[in-house]
Structures are given as structure tokens and as C-alpha cells.
Amino acid sequence: MMIPFALIGALAIASAPVSAQTHAGYPIQTTPATGGEGTVQQSDTNAYSLPQGNLSMTKRLDFSVGNSFFRNPWVEAPASTDARDGLGPLFNTNSCQGCHIKDGRGHPPGVDEPPVSLFLRLAVPADPVRDAEILRKHGFKPAPVYGSQLQTAALPAAKPEADLVIEWTPVKKTLADGTVVELRKPVYRIENPNYGPLPDDLLVSPRVAPQMIGMGLLEAIPIEKLQALHDPDDADGNGISGKLNQVWDLATEQTRPGRFGWKAAEPDVHQQSMGAFAGDMGLTSTLKPTTDCMPEQNCERFAHGGEPEVSDKVANFVTFYARSLAVPARRNLDSGSVQQGANLFNEIGCAGCHTPRHQTGEVVERPDLSNQTIWPYTDLLLHDMGPALADGRDEFLANGSEWRTPPLWGIGLAQVVNPQAGFLHDGRARTLEEAVLWHGGEATTAAERYRQMSSGDRSALIDFLNSL
């Protein structure tokens, strides 16, 4: 549903002065303006789909154009809609919105449903010497024939790479007060490969589409602020050893810090967006002139939608849109349970990785993103999450058990926006409590403290998360 621009402007809320209130050494948020001055007062199914509340009217028109290319499906070439053709021939979905449902989180497929908003990253083990150049520029070694991503859809005249099947194994977790929580562990199978046998040493990493809000604000956090949090050797002895990934920047052809994606393997919103066009939809761009289609799959026999298929103009509109999605306001800040939960969040150590507050820097031509006090609850660093969540697939400096701390802002609205939304990198957690209980590695102590809590304290912590 399109929201009238006049109404959008009315939804922005003023950013309250930053409170100095802290608890257990971490800041406590006392303002609803989670996304700074661009925060919007929206808490329904469209909560993730509004532009920055402080965006100028001229820029709102750019946002609307970007939204149209993000939302509407791309089609096979040649087509009369030549600005939106060139899909495939191998792909996962035909629109950005197909994965990022209403700009929110995706979910694992249900029974007999295609895996649209969850896919598998692929790789094979690499030799650090022989494959050094591949690792420097890709962060991993793509699988022979099947590339870096399993594409489960194809144009009518092509065959999808394979079928993805997920089976669920129940895992019971008993809390200190005797409460039993049933988690579910996914087991992935690739069936009916259409381009020859899969490698025996194939590595797979499931990824569910994350929510899109606040990406421009996260990009605007000065890198030196993240470097100050970088502590790979746990020099401060707090049991947390977050590190900045170092990834290949396609535009500058050099290595720089990564901050986007489940393993922080993308340096900025534009490269993340063009990577999704190439991998998820089989669409080329100036930045990504090739897709994940491998030579053995003979994709060049299909018509393309221009060179590149995503024009620079369209690419810039989509990137602007992705950078401009606003963060919804916090809710229920005056609730005693929410306030109690905020204190507990800090006390048990969650804020050690989910850093509550950041300040953005100066962004040329984007005053709406500049000098904003924001509350994303992330350090954007990689952390070891333990064997239960490990995928065994390295990506640049991220090893097989490390994941980027996902932002928590807006998380309480995830299942309002998409009732089927799942939590964690593969959507396995159906509730926030399940997500907490899957935490291991550096988060083991925090998860165990949650397990030891009384029922009332656990409810308060979840109330706090739902208020974000």
C-alpha cells in the first residue's frame, strides 16, 4: 500500500534530547526516537516501509521511484517493460520485495512452499595459498558448476539449479524453573540437481532476508567508532571478542571494513543491493557485471535485458530507497515491565554485542542521515555464536561460527509486518525467546543468565525486545 507523502511527513517524531541514563555500564534508551530525527510513528504492517521522516519532499520523490523498482517484479527479456527486464535465467525470486517482505524479514518455507525468502549460500573449502586471489576478492571459493548461491527458480526454458528441502528436528531446552521450551533445528537437503552432481565437500549457509530499516543510518556510523569496539583478542577480558570483517570493495578495488549482510561481507548499501540483484535475480549492473550463473550452465543462450540490465539510474534509485527506509519509534517506554527488561538486557550482557546507541557522522547530500543519535542495538561486528548456529562456511575474516550482530531496532514489529517472519540468520527461531536460547559462543553467559531467570524476569526482557 502506498502511503500519501503528506501523511508520511506527519508521521515523523521529534528526537528527544539524549539521556545520560545508564545501567550496568550501558546506555538506557529513554526516547522513542530510535532512528533519530527521521524516526516515524508507525507500528502496523507498513512499519518498515516509510521514508526517513526528515527527508525533503524532493528526495521523497526519489524514494518513491526506488520503491517501484524494489517492489515490482522483473521479467524475462525481451519485454515491453525494458527498464525492468532481464530476469534470470536462474534466480531465487523476481523482485526485491519477494525476499524482503514489506521491507521486513523473510522466513523459511512452509510445507510444500518454495523457498523464496530463504536461500543457501554455497562454497567449497579453499587452499589459502592456491586460492589466495579468489579469497581476497570473494571471501570464499564458489562451488564448481553451482557457484555461490543455490538458485531454485528459472525461466521456463531453463532448469533451476536444484530443489531445497528443509526438515525440522525438535530440540528441547529446560529452563531453571522447569519450563521446557521446544526449539527447532533445521536440516537442509539439496535434491534433484540439474547441472550434474554436487561437490562432495560442498559447504552450505542458509540465509533468510533481513529487515531493511535504518540501513543508511548504519552506513553513516563513522568507521572509527566501530574500530573502537573492535576487540578480536578480548583485550578487555569481558569474554566478547568482536571483530570488523575486512571485505573487497568492488568500486574502489581495495579491501575495507564490512558492515552489511549476515557475516558483514558487504562494505556499503550499494554493493549489498547490486549483489542481491546479481545473485537473487540474475540481473547485471555496472558494479556487478556478471551474475552467479556459471559457464557450465550456458546462460548466455538467453536474451539479456541490456548491458547492464540494471541501469546506473535504476541502481542509484534502488540504493537511495534502501538507504532511506525509516526506523519506527519505540513503544511502551513507560511500562514498568519494559523498563525492567531494559535493565536486565544490560545486566546479563546482551548490550555487550547489541550496542544500544551510536552517533552518525556527516553525510554529504544527506542531512536526514547526518549527526543523528540512533539506537540500533548492534556493534556491526563479527562474534562467535557457537557450534549450534555455525554454518562452517568462511567469508573473508568471518569463520564458520561467526555472525554479525544483527540490529534489534524494530524487532518487536517483525511479525506484525510479516506474520511468518523468523529470527536468527536462517529464521529457525519462531519467537524472540527461541532466538535468545539458541545463542552460544560469546553469548553463552548471557543466554545462561536468561535461562536462570524467573518467569517474570524473562517476560520483562521479552517485553523490552518487543518494545524496540
Side-chain angles (χ1 to χ4, degrees):
M1 183 183 74
M2 295 298 293
I3 309 295
F5 286 129
L7 178 57
I8 291 172
L11 291 172
I13 64 173
S15 178
V18 177
S19 169
Q21 184 176 341
T22 63
H23 185 81
Y26 299 106
I28 291 287
Q29 181 181 354
T30 58
T31 169
T34 301
E37 295 170 359
T39 305
V40 292
Q41 189 73 47
Q42 191 87 359
S43 57
D44 60 10
T45 187
N46 294 306
Y48 293 167
S49 297
L50 302 183
Q52 284 277 113
N54 57 346
L55 198 61
S56 70
M57 186 58 68
T58 301
K59 294 298 185 181
R60 287 171 188 270
L61 296 175
D62 293 343
F63 179 91
S64 182
V65 174
N67 181 25
S68 71
F69 284 102
F70 191 90
R71 185 183 70 252
N72 293 324
W74 290 69
V75 298
E76 181 179 1
S80 58
T81 55
D82 59 358
R84 201 179 273 114
D85 69 350
L87 177 70
L90 304 177
F91 55 95
N92 292 94
T93 184
N94 64 357
S95 72
C96 306
Q97 198 81 243
C99 283
H100 303 278
I101 299 166
K102 296 187 75 65
D103 305 295
R105 292 167 178 257
H107 57 268
V111 178
D112 297 326
E113 285 184 352
V116 175
S117 56
L118 177 143
F119 59 79
L120 296 182
R121 296 272 195 220
L122 307 177
V124 291
D127 182 282
V129 177
R130 186 178 64 247
D131 301 316
E133 186 65 10
I134 292 174
L135 294 176
R136 184 170 74 95
K137 293 186 176 181
H138 294 276
F140 59 91
K141 185 177 181 180
V145 181
Y146 289 89
S148 62
Q149 185 167 319
L150 185 70
Q151 292 160 326
T152 53
L155 297 178
K159 293 181 179 180
E161 288 186 325
D163 296 325
L164 170 60
V165 178
I166 306 177
E167 294 181 349
W168 299 98
T169 301
V171 176
K172 293 186 177 180
K173 183 80 71 172
T174 302
L175 308 185
D177 64 1
T179 301
V180 177
V181 180
E182 185 173 284
L183 312 179
R184 58 174 189 169
K185 178 182 178 180
V187 178
Y188 300 93
R189 295 200 318 273
I190 299 174
E191 297 184 346
N192 306 317
N194 285 313
Y195 296 89
L198 296 161
D200 292 335
D201 55 355
L202 183 68
L203 303 171
V204 301
S205 179
R207 308 286 176 91
V208 70
Q211 62 198 39
M212 298 285 294
I213 57 173
M215 292 179 69
L217 292 166
L218 295 175
E219 190 178 61
I221 299 171
I223 193 59
E224 59 267 25
K225 300 296 184 182
L226 303 182
Q227 289 168 335
L229 298 172
H230 174 76
D231 184 24
D233 300 319
D234 190 20
D236 59 8
N238 67 350
I240 298 172
S241 53
K243 68 183 181 186
L244 272 171
N245 207 348
Q246 297 293 328
V247 308
W248 187 250
D249 185 315
L250 293 170
T252 62
E253 296 189 333
Q254 61 185 10
T255 296
R256 70 184 181 103
R259 64 176 82 192
F260 294 104
W262 284 107
K263 285 184 180 277
E266 301 290 358
D268 55 42
V269 176
H270 185 64
Q271 185 165 310
Q272 171 87 349
S273 300
M274 296 309 103
F277 271 126
D280 301 354
M281 292 184 280
L283 294 164
T284 60
S285 62
T286 298
L287 192 68
K288 295 278 287 187
T290 59
T291 69
D292 197 46
C293 205
M294 303 295 280
E296 298 88 345
Q297 295 169 329
N298 202 21
C299 291
E300 66 274 4
R301 64 193 173 94
F302 293 88
H304 61 73
E307 295 182 354
E309 289 162 323
V310 181
S311 70
D312 290 349
K313 190 172 184 179
V314 169
N316 290 334
F317 276 127
V318 171
T319 298
F320 181 85
Y321 175 78
R323 283 179 172 142
S324 303
L325 285 161
V327 179
R330 279 280 306 273
R331 301 156 310 286
N332 303 321
L333 268 76
D334 294 332
S335 161
S337 180
V338 167
Q339 293 174 359
Q340 177 188 356
N343 289 338
L344 291 167
F345 181 86
N346 288 4
E347 284 176 15
I348 70 173
C350 302
C353 298
H354 291 283
T355 305
R357 188 177 65 203
H358 289 276
Q359 184 81 18
T360 68
E362 190 73 31
V363 183
V364 177
E365 297 181 357
R366 290 301 302 267
D368 57 304
L369 302 176
S370 298
N371 305 312
Q372 300 295 313
T373 299
I374 60 175
W375 298 82
Y377 297 89
T378 178
D379 57 11
L380 297 177
L381 303 182
L382 297 169
H383 294 277
D384 184 345
M385 293 299 292
L389 293 178
D391 64 352
R393 180 183 181 273
D394 296 351
E395 197 160 1
F396 294 105
L397 298 186
N399 67 37
S401 62
E402 290 178 323
W403 300 94
R404 182 199 72 158
T405 306
L408 296 183
W409 53 9
I411 199 169
L413 298 171
Q415 291 176 337
V416 174
V417 172
N418 173 17
Q420 295 178 281
F423 304 104
L424 301 177
H425 67 276
D426 54 7
R428 70 174 69 187
R430 294 158 294 188
T431 66
L432 292 173
E433 179 169 69
E434 288 185 24
V436 171
L437 293 173
W438 274 113
H439 280 51
E442 295 173 45
T444 298
T445 299
E448 177 60 19
R449 287 170 176 168
Y450 178 86
R451 197 186 72 83
Q452 295 288 339
M453 283 181 179
S454 67
S455 173
D457 283 351
R458 294 197 307 271
S459 293
L461 181 58
I462 298 302
D463 285 346
F464 163 71
L465 294 176
N466 277 320
S467 79
L468 295 179

